[in-house]
Amino acid sequence: MDSTYIPLYEALKRNIEQKPLSFHVPGHKYGKVFEKQAYEKFQSILQLDATEVEGLDDLHAPEGVIQEAQQLASEFFHSDHTFFLINGTTVGNMAMILSVCHPGDEIIVQRNCHKSVLNALELSGASPVFISPRYERETGRHSHVSAEDVEQALKDHADSKAVFLTYPDYFGRTYDLKKIAEVVHRYRVPLLIDEAHGVHFQLGPPFPQAALTAGADGVAQSAHKMAPAMTMASFLHVQGNRIDLNRVRHYLQMLQSSSPSYPLMASLDVARAYLASWNASDKEYLFSFLEQVKSLFRSYNYWDVKATDDPLKLTLEVLSGTGFEWADALDAVGIVPELATTNQVLLVFGLAPSVDLLLLEERLKTLDSQLKKQTNRATIIENQIQFPAVQKLEYSYSLMQRMDVVRVGWQEAAGYVAAEAIIPYPPGIPLVMKGERLDEQHIAQVHALLSQGARFQNTGMEQGVLVFKGE
């Protein structure tokens, strides 16, 4: 098929060009029924916000333009089958895990996974075996997943139904996934990958190797993170015969809306076409821009500018203060970063220049001028928790669902088993998992992050934590 063709988007255009008289949902009737003060900003997208009328197909049983759009995506990514997701990579992660696990089944999971993976484990009733990435001084994070650690976990837990890893991490760090895939497949189980931040790896060098190319069996990608798709629009790719496609379809129908968003689906079609048309001149233009941005940040001595495996990610390792403080300072002058940690600020680029370099230079000068009038605070050191190399939860998910829960203050929480995952957001990776026993190191890190201004996806964090009663 012609890679420049965008079948779903073209069908939506044809639909509105026919001036349909809508006697069907949605209630805004292609924008004719809408709040006046918001209409100007919404009008163009409302014309694409259709439903499953003639010619627009059905996401849950595609036979027409959606099937065609998914097939074009499959051809571009070299998968055997590609699904469009309108509930983000979250639903792709969930569908993959539910499709391979039954209650009580063991599955090997990377310890610093996204919260959607833990939610899927709980829904499936699986028994996770967590492996911790090794700490890397180069990144200052637990970021290296080794084939040796994966193989040891498979040897020790021979009945595991799959291996689930995150590749790359939020900061763009990768590892030898091809070697890991070879190890996993020797044990005749599927390798499942949360590649939320790696949809553009399909473009080839200098980007890292794509997870599908490395041999993964199931891969979920957030097209909205690193490609030009709308928020919540993602892909799920399957290759080989280690994953049951019928089970994947079943869980996607169960987990996704029965009224999927056509603007989101069309944006996946458009994003795939954009990636397919990205060429050498686009690459040259982008990488020239990236070097200019890096040069601007390097001209200030407030941070070390660190590149990572993914050229579209840039880390500012701050030399004083905290990453949270610096993120706030940058935001205050109109330079909006992706996230911060204790001593790092992450900047994320797109696949084309999207920032006015003169405006960036002007705003960095404004920041510099403001900072020269201030005294920087000392960094609160966030001690790296030494996670166990291999770890299981204290209780099964089925048992935890029946246990009583109580909130205790942080000063008395050590020794209890957490009844909620403690999740700094972004990036949405749990510091403590539900079912993990709290210790003083966990509590010290929570206090440090709270004092530095970190946000958590938990309520009542200042008062304490939910734990299982009777511990």
Side-chain angles (χ1 to χ4, degrees):
M1 280 192 265
D2 180 2
S3 64
T4 64
Y5 181 41
I6 316 175
L8 180 52
Y9 171 69
E10 292 294 343
L12 288 166
K13 275 179 56 183
R14 286 194 300 272
N15 180 62
I16 199 65
E17 286 165 359
Q18 292 168 1
K19 301 187 184 330
L21 301 177
S22 172
F23 290 94
H24 56 76
V25 297
H28 60 70
K29 307 297 181 182
Y30 296 108
K32 292 183 174 63
V33 182
F34 210 69
E35 173 59 42
K36 290 184 177 63
Q37 60 185 327
Y39 178 73
E40 181 183 353
K41 297 297 185 185
F42 273 88
Q43 60 176 326
S44 59
I45 203 69
L46 292 174
Q47 295 178 40
L48 299 179
D49 189 26
T51 189
E52 293 91 342
V53 295
E54 183 66 29
L56 295 185
D57 209 359
D58 181 348
L59 176 63
H60 297 300
E63 297 177 334
V65 289
I66 294 176
Q67 182 185 48
E68 201 173 353
Q70 289 186 153
Q71 180 59 35
L72 279 163
S74 178
E75 290 175 7
F76 174 73
F77 288 101
H78 304 301
S79 71
D80 290 336
H81 194 92
T82 291
F83 296 93
F84 282 5
L85 308 178
I86 47 83
N87 288 63
T89 292
T90 286
V91 79
N93 289 340
M94 288 183 161
M96 284 193 287
I97 288 175
L98 288 164
S99 71
V100 299
C101 286
H102 293 97
D105 284 345
E106 287 193 329
I107 177 173
I108 294 164
V109 180
Q110 185 173 326
R111 167 65 177 78
N112 54 344
C113 60
H114 189 262
K115 64 175 185 174
S116 60
V117 177
L118 299 179
N119 291 336
L121 294 171
E122 183 167 357
L123 285 173
S124 71
S127 178
V129 177
F130 293 103
I131 56 171
S132 177
R134 298 183 183 185
Y135 180 78
E136 292 184 295
R137 193 172 299 278
E138 180 183 352
T139 64
R141 299 186 308 277
H142 291 271
S143 50
H144 179 66
V145 179
S146 74
E148 293 75 18
D149 290 346
V150 171
E151 181 154 29
Q152 188 60 56
L154 285 164
K155 283 180 180 177
D156 295 342
H157 300 272
D159 292 330
S160 295
K161 300 301 181 184
V163 173
F164 195 106
L165 303 177
T166 304
Y167 172 97
D169 72 4
Y170 213 116
F171 288 77
R173 185 64 163 173
T174 60
Y175 46 84
D176 192 345
L177 188 60
K178 184 176 182 180
K179 186 177 180 182
I180 290 173
E182 291 169 353
V183 167
V184 172
H185 291 158
R186 284 204 301 271
Y187 287 81
R188 302 180 184 280
V189 296
L191 174 61
L192 312 177
I193 300 294
D194 177 350
E195 198 179 26
H197 288 261
V199 67
H200 57 302
F201 290 2
Q202 190 63 33
L203 297 173
F207 299 115
Q209 186 177 47
L212 281 172
T213 306
D217 301 280
V219 177
Q221 299 170 327
S222 296
H224 64 95
K225 281 186 165 66
M226 305 303 296
M230 292 178 66
T231 298
M232 290 177 66
S234 293
F235 296 114
L236 175 59
H237 309 293
V238 177
Q239 67 177 349
N241 58 8
R242 296 183 183 90
I243 298 175
D244 187 334
L245 276 176
N246 289 325
R247 286 180 62 82
V248 172
R249 289 190 183 96
H250 168 73
Y251 286 110
L252 286 178
Q253 288 193 31
M254 182 182 292
L255 296 167
Q256 296 206 102
S257 172
S258 59
S259 301
S261 164
Y262 273 87
L264 292 186
M265 290 189 288
S267 79
L268 284 169
D269 201 16
V270 171
R272 183 272 313 156
Y274 180 92
L275 291 169
S277 65
W278 203 77
N279 57 36
S281 62
D282 294 321
K283 182 191 296 187
E284 182 179 358
Y285 183 36
L286 171 64
F287 279 80
S288 172
F289 165 78
L290 294 177
E291 285 306 314
Q292 292 178 77
V293 173
K294 290 173 188 176
S295 179
L296 279 174
F297 278 99
R298 286 192 183 107
S299 64
Y300 295 90
N301 60 2
Y302 300 117
W303 43 62
D304 286 332
V305 177
K306 293 193 169 186
T308 185
D309 299 322
D310 180 1
L312 297 189
K313 300 288 182 73
L314 192 67
T315 301
L316 306 179
E317 192 163 286
V318 302
L319 303 178
S320 64
T322 71
F324 301 106
E325 291 171 334
W326 281 103
D328 288 344
L330 288 163
D331 203 343
V333 296
I335 301 171
V336 186
E338 173 66 14
L339 64 80
T341 67
T342 297
N343 63 342
Q344 295 178 336
V345 178
L346 176 64
L347 309 178
V348 177
F349 300 94
L351 283 165
S354 57
V355 170
D356 184 319
L357 289 170
L358 291 176
L359 185 58
L360 174 61
E361 183 176 18
E362 176 187 315
R363 290 181 177 181
L364 282 170
K365 286 179 179 177
T366 299
L367 176 63
D368 183 46
S369 175
Q370 292 174 354
L371 291 171
K372 283 177 178 174
K373 301 173 185 176
Q374 302 174 8
T375 302
N376 289 326
R377 290 162 53 185
T379 300
I380 302 170
I381 299 299
E382 174 191 339
N383 293 325
Q384 283 287 336
I385 290 182
Q386 297 304 307
F387 296 112
V390 178
Q391 178 183 11
K392 296 203 72 175
L393 300 178
E394 297 289 329
Y395 304 118
S396 69
Y397 286 117
S398 60
L399 178 58
M400 285 190 276
Q401 289 169 1
R402 301 192 298 271
M403 295 175 71
D404 292 331
V405 172
V406 65
R407 185 178 298 279
V408 300
W410 288 109
Q411 69 277 5
E412 55 182 310
Y416 281 94
V417 174
E420 62 178 336
I422 300 172
I423 306 171
Y425 192 85
I429 296 169
L431 171 63
V432 176
M433 298 177 292
K434 179 178 179 179
E436 184 174 7
R437 195 172 296 279
L438 291 155
D439 60 27
E440 296 291 351
Q441 207 176 12
H442 291 131
I443 295 165
Q445 193 169 38
V446 167
H447 284 317
L449 289 169
L450 284 171
S451 67
Q452 293 163 15
R455 293 176 55 234
F456 285 79
Q457 287 195 321
N458 301 77
T459 57
M461 282 288 291
E462 289 78 9
Q463 287 73 46
V465 59
L466 294 177
V467 299
F468 290 112
K469 195 174 181 180
E471 273 289 308

